[in-house]
Amino acid sequence: MGFNIAIDGPAGAGKSTIAKKIAAKKGYIYVDTGAMYRAMALYLLRERVDPAQTGEIDKKCQDADITIAYENGEQVVYLNGENVNGYIRTEEVGNMASVSSPNLNVRKKLVELQQKLAADADVVMDGRDIGTCVLPDAQVKVYLTADSSVRAKRRYQELTQKGISCDLHTIEQDIIERDRQDMTRAVSPLKQAEDAVLLDSSHMTVDEVVDAVIALCEA
Ligand code: DC
């Protein structure tokens, strides 16, 4: 097993920003597991699978071959051989991912891939169940959170900077609903692992959070 850093937490807590910076500083590979669930969701949307039909998801997910590669230092997700990075960041795909990710067959397939990646390399992996299920033996586990109002404001700024008009209140409501779904599901719910360190980034800068995680790695 390589050196494994697990970062879990709710949507918008800054997991990917922090994980990418740590990976760059330590020369580790960044594994974005949410992107894998998003690629699966994209496949199910393209196949017009009804998310209410669990059996349909069970069957169809077997036909989705998801792999990842690293090109110019970026994680690229391939769905049946197609680079789908450009299609997985939409709200539609995010919502489908939230509904389809509790499916046991979906998880089995993607967790296997994640564990294989971490067995062979030093990784910083972010998601919802990394410290609790995927990498229970990770050397460093962080549960990164922030107030929902802070997370909504960050998301709002990110979208407006891209020229996308949006409503702060709606974004916060979406975040609260996404948290509820991820935390209350029966399978691998989002929760802090017993041995994870809680970091609340509400009043911390990105660099402060990065330094705190690096200090945990060196401790
Ligand atoms: O982090 P994200 O928004 O890209 O994740 C998309 C969805 O995938 C999110 O609703 C929760 C789910 N997910 C999961 O169930 N397990 C993970 N390890 C990562 C993401």
Side-chain angles (χ1 to χ4, degrees):
M1 168 172 158
F3 195 95
N4 293 171
I5 305 173
I7 302 183
D8 292 300
K15 298 185 298 292
S16 67
T17 305
I18 302 299
K20 273 185 204 161
K21 288 212 164 204
I22 293 165
K25 274 202 172 179
K26 306 236 5 138
Y28 289 9
I29 289 173
Y30 167 51
V31 184
D32 172 0
T33 63
M36 298 177 192
Y37 289 95
R38 285 170 180 268
M40 180 61 84
L42 176 69
Y43 179 75
L44 298 172
L45 282 170
R46 285 178 173 177
E47 292 293 308
R48 305 195 184 284
V49 171
D50 175 358
Q53 302 291 324
T54 314
E56 280 258 304
I57 299 183
D58 283 342
K59 209 162 72 200
K60 282 286 182 190
C61 78
Q62 305 301 340
D63 303 330
D65 181 39
I66 292 168
T67 53
I68 67 170
Y70 291 88
E71 293 169 15
N72 305 320
E74 286 277 313
Q75 172 181 291
V76 179
V77 186
Y78 284 89
L79 169 62
N80 293 333
E82 175 194 356
N83 173 346
V84 291
N85 271 26
Y87 304 106
I88 58 176
R89 295 290 156 202
T90 66
E91 283 304 297
E92 189 191 17
V93 170
N95 290 335
M96 181 61 154
S98 190
V99 178
S100 56
S101 59
N103 181 283
L104 281 177
N105 287 304
V106 168
R107 296 205 83 78
K108 185 166 178 283
K109 204 169 168 148
L110 298 183
V111 168
E112 262 171 31
L113 172 61
Q114 292 155 13
Q115 288 174 334
K116 221 159 94 202
L117 289 166
D120 299 339
D122 296 331
V123 299
V124 186
M125 190 177 287
D126 76 359
R128 304 294 190 287
D129 61 337
I130 310 307
T132 52
C133 300
V134 181
L135 305 177
D137 299 324
Q139 285 89 343
V140 171
K141 294 185 188 179
V142 172
Y143 188 84
L144 183 65
T145 188
D147 294 341
S148 60
S149 62
V150 174
R151 290 186 278 135
K153 253 182 231 144
R154 288 177 186 160
R155 179 89 185 125
Y156 176 83
Q157 274 163 4
E158 197 182 305
L159 289 170
T160 41
Q161 265 164 23
K162 282 187 195 161
I164 301 167
S165 74
C166 53
D167 173 62
L168 182 59
H169 180 70
T170 311
I171 292 177
E172 185 170 1
Q173 291 311 115
D174 282 353
I175 281 180
I176 291 169
E177 174 55 18
R178 188 77 61 90
D179 289 355
R180 194 193 59 74
Q181 277 178 24
D182 292 344
M183 288 172 177
T184 59
R185 68 185 187 200
V187 180
S188 303
L190 168 65
K191 65 165 190 247
Q192 186 181 345
E194 272 174 27
D195 50 351
V197 174
L198 175 72
L199 286 179
D200 183 333
S201 73
S202 303
H203 306 289
M204 290 171 86
T205 65
V206 168
D207 286 338
E208 282 169 348
V209 179
V210 170
D211 289 346
V213 179
I214 301 269
L216 290 172
C217 296
E218 284 159 9

